[in-house]
Amino acid sequence: MKTIQNMFKHLHWANQRILETLQNCKADDQQVRLFLHILCAEQVWITRLQGKDSSKLPIWSDGDLAACTNLSQQNVESYTTFLNQLAHTDLDNVITYSNSKGEQFNSSIREILTHVALHGQYHRGQINMRLRQAGCDPVSTDYIVFVR
């Protein structure tokens, strides 16, 4: 459980670093869209973990940095509450959910939380690549930088 909690502390830290970098570098629409995708996916997954219907939530969305700021804060609060109420023995509980196409799946809470923690890292790398191409310095979001 401690590892999962640390992964989510890292996720929130990394998202905050990306958000601040996008604000300081006058991000373009594609960079913001990628970041908003990370945040939307986090929202979809926490909704599923809470046993709620996520079918109306977007995975990809257009928006601005203010929308990113708000959604990021909502996600921090939602995941913090969820993880604080989760017992170690709950991690292997399986939940049933439907994807955006209506297909039904079963996954353990542990698998879902691991996916969420790893998913954003991929897209933060894409954002960093686009930042470099735009002449901005990328920001390190590596886990080891976080724990240092």
Side-chain angles (χ1 to χ4, degrees), residues 105-140:
F105 297 94
N106 299 307
S107 300
S108 72
I109 292 173
R110 181 188 315 272
E111 292 166 337
I112 291 168
L113 291 172
T114 301
H115 166 72
V116 173
L118 297 174
H119 172 260
Q121 199 64 356
Y122 170 75
H123 293 298
R124 285 187 287 272
Q126 290 179 309
I127 293 167
N128 268 328
M129 180 184 69
R130 285 174 169 79
L131 284 167
R132 184 180 301 279
Q133 289 170 345
C136 292
D137 290 331
V139 59
S140 178

Side-chain angles (χ1 to χ4, degrees), residues 28-116:
D28 65 31
D29 291 342
Q30 186 59 29
Q31 294 161 353
V32 173
R33 184 169 164 78
L34 279 168
F35 187 50
L36 196 52
H37 167 67
I38 295 168
L39 301 172
C40 286
E42 289 173 10
Q43 182 184 45
V44 164
W45 282 110
I46 191 64
T47 300
R48 292 172 180 167
L49 286 165
Q50 293 167 335
K52 300 175 186 173
D53 178 20
S54 65
S55 65
K56 304 290 187 229
L57 296 174
I59 295 289
W60 289 95
S61 181
D62 292 319
D64 57 16
L65 288 175
C68 291
T69 301
N70 291 335
L71 188 51
S72 179
Q73 186 57 40
Q74 288 173 19
N75 289 345
V76 168
E77 292 168 9
S78 295
Y79 278 99
T80 300
T81 299
F82 182 80
L83 291 172
N84 285 341
Q85 295 172 351
L86 190 66
H88 177 74
T89 54
D90 295 333
L91 288 172
D92 293 317
N93 291 350
V94 174
I95 66 164
T96 301
Y97 59 93
S98 296
N99 68 7
S100 58
K101 296 177 185 176
E103 301 166 322
Q104 200 169 69
F105 297 94
N106 299 307
S107 300
S108 72
I109 292 173
R110 181 188 315 272
E111 292 166 337
I112 291 168
L113 291 172
T114 301
H115 166 72
V116 173

